[in-house]
């Protein structure tokens, strides 16, 4: 590997790679063991595969015990025992030897575990005793896998990270997001006519990878993302990846959908460019937004979609929010309005990076990548450690600024000199689960989330949903009279969603 820094961590940019040593050793002192029950059903086996995929990217000594046949999955393996070899490229190099096992039983028939996961179509169960597992879909079980992976991180970093550990048992569901079992709905065959994925990064690719496991769901999809896969960093953050991916992220993820029977098209372009290429204004069907930049969120709001499912991630916290362009609740951009006007945002980024305001605007508005001179300037200004240069040339400005996306922050405030951030692929997997749960509900004609679910995966789910009103300052794009006229023309009579 050409760079000095372990790909599982991001550091405050002024730190040398060695600053992460204690955190990496803590991650690798724990050996998580995924132990699947004998004669596991396909949903249970898929949950074991998901759990293994989440753990092995973070904890180098993760192991898998047991075998079972898998249904369709994003890693392209037929049986569970094939998975470790398939994911070998995404396995980090151990920083220390293991000293403590954490055995996670998948299914009630797994013997001698420290923690068990179970559940059903929509319900997730995690506990210190065997948990029932059933159902015909693996969504609830996959959510249980997320909570178990979060427990492994809390256990290994308990000395370094503020967290709330699991008690004896956790029950939560993806149907109404309460801390109780969900009704069993079965898995009727359903078709989603046009899902547009704006973003196929860690969250978008997780949603697509999970959709590909749902044998009762097919449809038509467009995947819009200008980025290319970064084989040096993305495998440690993308649970659906094998590590062998190259080229456009949109091409990879659209391919996963096609392999699962979908009619899917990849667009390697910005959201705004895709919107401009459409025949008319507005986007029907469902838009899934997992873009991770402020300018991207503005482009999503400008798409004037009937229904947008927006997922946002900040550290180990994440949310999904349903938005409609014709109502009075928050739009995809509302919560970013108060952040700043574009110029003052550029001034903040200038101070953070040592680049000039003009150069910041050029990088954002011109969709340019960081040059060697940009990165050298950040080093010269004392904002970036010289050893960190290779990982940032030809990357986006956001990579320099937003290195703590979907990562647990360890050891301090958001000061570039003291923060270590650890990749947490389970946060992305949960984002994907929230998206798939809402898409399946929409295909079933069931009630969607009203309007927002927030989860903090360093803690435990609160079992509640909330609503955010529209931006009150009047500065958000959703207040534009031109836009409101279009929304009324496009969807005027349809307020039943
Ligand atoms: Zn708004």
């Amino acid at each position: 590997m050409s760079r000095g820094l372990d790909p599982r961590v991001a550091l405050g940019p002024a730190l040398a790679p060695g600053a992460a040593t204690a955190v990496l050793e803590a991650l690798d002192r724990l050996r998580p063991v995924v132990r699947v029950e004998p004669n596991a059903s396909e949903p249970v086996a898929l949950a074991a595969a998901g759990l293994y995929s989440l753990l092995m990217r973070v904890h180098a000594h993760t192991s898998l015990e047991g075998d079972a046949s898998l249904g369709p999955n994003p890693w392209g393996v037929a049986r569970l025992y094939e998975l470790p070899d398939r994911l070998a490229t995404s396995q980090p190099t151990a920083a220390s030897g293991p000293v403590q096992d954490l055995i996670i039983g998948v299914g009630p028939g797994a013997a001698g575990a420290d923690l068990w996961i179970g559940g059903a179509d929509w319900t997730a169960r995690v506990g210190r005793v065997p948990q029932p597992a059933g159902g015909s879909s693996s969504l609830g079980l996959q959510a249980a896998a997320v909570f178990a992976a979060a427990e492994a991180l809390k256990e290994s970093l308990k000395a370094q990270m503020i967290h709330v550990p699991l008690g004896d048992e956790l029950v939560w569901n993806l149907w109404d997001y309460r801390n109780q079992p969900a009704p069993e709905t079965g898995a009727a065959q359903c078709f989603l006519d046009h899902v547009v994925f704006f973003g196929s990064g860690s969250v978008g690719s997780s949603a697509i990878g999970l959709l590909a496991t749902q044998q009762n769901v097919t449809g038509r999809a467009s995947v819009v993302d200008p980025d290319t896969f970064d084989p040096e960093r993305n495998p440690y953050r993308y649970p659906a990846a094998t590590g062998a991916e190259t080229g456009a992220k949109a091409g990879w993820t659209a391919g996963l959908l096609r392999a699962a029977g979908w009619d899917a098209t990849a667009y390697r372009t910005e959201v705004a460019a895709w919107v401009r290429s459409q025949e008319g204004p507005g986007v029907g069907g469902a838009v899934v937004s997992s873009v991770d930049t402020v300018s991207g969120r503005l482009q999503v709001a400008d798409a004037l979609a009937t229904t947008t499912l927006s997922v946002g991630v900040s550290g180990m916290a994440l949310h999904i929010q349903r938005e409609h362009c014709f109502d009075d609740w928050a739009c995809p951009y509302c919560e970013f309005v108060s952040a700043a006007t574009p110029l003052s945002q550029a001034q903040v980024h200038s101070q953070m990076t040592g680049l000039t305001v003009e150069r910041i605007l050029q990088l954002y508005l011109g969709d340019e990548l960081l040059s060697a001179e940009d990165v050298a300037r950040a080093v010269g200004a004392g904002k970036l450690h010289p050893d960190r240069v290779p990982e940032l040339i030809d990357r986006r400005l956001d990579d320099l600024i937003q290195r703590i996306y979907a990562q647990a922050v360890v050891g301090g405030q958001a000061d570039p000199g003291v923060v270590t951030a650890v990749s947490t692929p389970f946060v992305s997997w949960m984002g994907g689960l929230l998206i798939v749960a809402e898409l399946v509900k929409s295909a079933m004609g069931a009630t969607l989330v009203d309007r927002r679910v927030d989860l903090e995966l360093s803690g435990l789910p609160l079992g509640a949903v909330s609503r955010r009103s529209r931006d009150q300052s009047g500065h958000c794009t959703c207040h534009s009279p031109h836009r409101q006229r279009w929304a009324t023309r496009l969807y005027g009579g349809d307020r039943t969603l």
Side-chain angles (χ1 to χ4, degrees), residues 36-48:
V36 68
E37 66 180 357
N39 306 310
S41 67
E42 276 191 4
V44 169
L46 270 172

Side-chain angles (χ1 to χ4, degrees), residues 69-119:
S69 166
L70 290 170
N73 61 81
W75 312 287
V77 292
R79 298 195 66 90
L80 202 46
Y81 83 87
E82 299 168 38
L83 193 59
D85 276 351
R86 184 59 55 90
L87 301 185
T89 322
S90 301
Q91 184 159 27
T93 305
S96 65
V99 297
Q100 180 196 349
D101 282 357
L102 177 69
I103 300 172
I104 304 172
V106 185
D114 301 301
L115 203 63
W116 276 265
I117 67 170

Side-chain angles (χ1 to χ4, degrees), residues 356-416:
T356 64
V357 170
E358 293 71 25
R359 181 61 184 148
I360 296 283
L361 290 171
Q362 201 175 10
L363 285 164
Y364 269 130
L365 302 175
D367 288 334
E368 290 185 34
L369 299 176
L370 291 167
S371 67
E373 295 81 68
D374 293 328
V375 180
R377 189 177 284 267
V379 171
K383 308 294 184 185
L384 184 71
H385 194 280
D387 290 357
R388 312 286 303 282
V389 166
E391 64 184 280
L392 286 159
I393 294 176
D394 287 336
R395 303 304 301 177
R396 296 181 301 163
L397 176 62
D398 291 302
D399 290 327
L400 183 56
I401 292 167
Q402 296 191 333
R403 269 296 161 89
I404 52 177
Y405 180 79
Q407 289 167 337
V409 176
V410 177
Q413 303 298 312
D415 174 333

Side-chain angles (χ1 to χ4, degrees), residues 293-376:
T293 65
V294 173
S295 66
R297 293 290 288 258
L298 181 57
Q299 294 174 34
V300 171
D302 276 344
L304 285 176
T306 321
T307 302
T308 305
L309 298 167
S310 291
V311 170
V313 172
S314 173
M316 286 175 76
L318 79 163
H319 72 265
I320 188 167
Q321 178 168 277
R322 171 164 61 103
E323 294 134 357
H324 302 294
C325 74
F326 47 76
D327 69 10
D328 294 329
W329 298 100
C331 88
Y333 192 62
C334 278
E335 70 186 279
F336 294 94
V337 173
S338 56
T341 60
L343 185 61
S344 69
Q345 190 65 59
Q347 284 163 341
V348 170
H349 290 164
S350 169
Q351 283 171 6
M352 284 171 68
T353 59
L355 305 186
T356 64
V357 170
E358 293 71 25
R359 181 61 184 148
I360 296 283
L361 290 171
Q362 201 175 10
L363 285 164
Y364 269 130
L365 302 175
D367 288 334
E368 290 185 34
L369 299 176
L370 291 167
S371 67
E373 295 81 68
D374 293 328
V375 180

Side-chain angles (χ1 to χ4, degrees), residues 42-60:
E42 276 191 4
V44 169
L46 270 172
L51 179 58
Y52 179 79
S53 174
L54 299 178
L55 289 166
M56 58 79 61
R57 299 168 202 272
V58 179
H59 306 278

Side-chain angles (χ1 to χ4, degrees), residues 43-44 46-47 106 117-126 132-148 170-175 180-182 184 210 213-214 429-430 433-434 436-437:
V44 169
L46 270 172
V106 185
I117 67 170
D121 291 354
W122 304 95
T123 305
R125 294 177 180 276
V126 188
S136 47
S137 139
S138 66
L139 292 181
L141 284 151
Q142 294 287 353
V146 167
F147 292 123
L170 163 65
V171 179
W172 180 77
N173 77 72
L174 289 157
W175 181 256
Q180 61 189 34
E184 287 309 300
L210 285 158
T213 67
Q214 301 297 296
W429 204 235
M430 182 60 93
L433 277 165
L434 296 172
V436 175

